[in-house]
Amino acid sequence: MVDKEHAERFAGEWLDAWNAHDLDRILSHYEETFTMSSPAITRLTGNSSGTLQGKPAVGKYWADALARYPNLHFKLLHLLRGVDSVTLIYDGVLGVTAEVFHFGPTGKVTRACAHYDL
């Protein structure tokens, strides 16, 4: 199980990076080849798979999202820990969101999946 200290540190740093709109800090939490899945990817890009792979592709998508939502701010509602993952439940620009982050051996995110009530 992901230890509580690691989960809380990740959540705090991740939220601070997003709320600062600092793309480099956001991406620093992820492996180079990580995978991101989200219904918002389909909604905002037209990518029917809803999945992007790697920092260049996800970074471009997130840069566009930060530009599209200049008032973007996430507020943590709840933090859940799993075997090799953390789920953050937060309020954001698309409403209440649950995002699951799977960590690899380096402690960085290898896969993330966002869930919304769209």
Side-chain angles (χ1 to χ4, degrees):
M1 183 167 194
V2 174
D3 71 56
K4 187 175 181 180
E5 182 179 306
H6 174 76
E8 289 174 346
R9 184 175 55 251
F10 170 79
E13 291 172 0
W14 186 86
L15 287 160
D16 287 347
W18 273 103
N19 290 338
H21 294 215
D22 187 333
L23 186 58
D24 289 334
R25 278 178 50 206
I26 295 165
L27 288 169
S28 73
H29 296 99
Y30 299 85
E31 294 283 352
E32 289 296 321
T33 59
F34 83 101
T35 301
M36 177 71 207
S37 298
S38 169
I41 291 171
T42 300
R43 184 183 212 186
L44 298 175
T45 70
N47 174 335
S48 62
S49 74
T51 300
L52 297 171
Q53 176 119 21
K55 282 188 178 182
V58 180
K60 180 186 180 326
Y61 163 70
W62 284 341
D64 293 346
L66 288 168
R68 176 178 251 174
Y69 299 104
N71 296 322
L72 179 142
H73 182 83
F74 295 155
K75 178 183 175 189
L76 185 64
L77 302 175
H78 204 71
L79 168 65
L80 303 169
R81 298 178 294 134
V83 173
D84 66 351
S85 62
V86 167
T87 300
L88 301 182
I89 300 171
Y90 58 90
D91 193 14
V93 295
L94 298 178
V96 174
T97 303
E99 193 159 345
V100 182
F101 303 88
H102 295 270
F103 298 95
T106 65
K108 293 193 176 196
V109 176
T110 59
R111 183 169 50 110
C113 305
H115 304 78
Y116 309 93
D117 184 19
L118 297 176

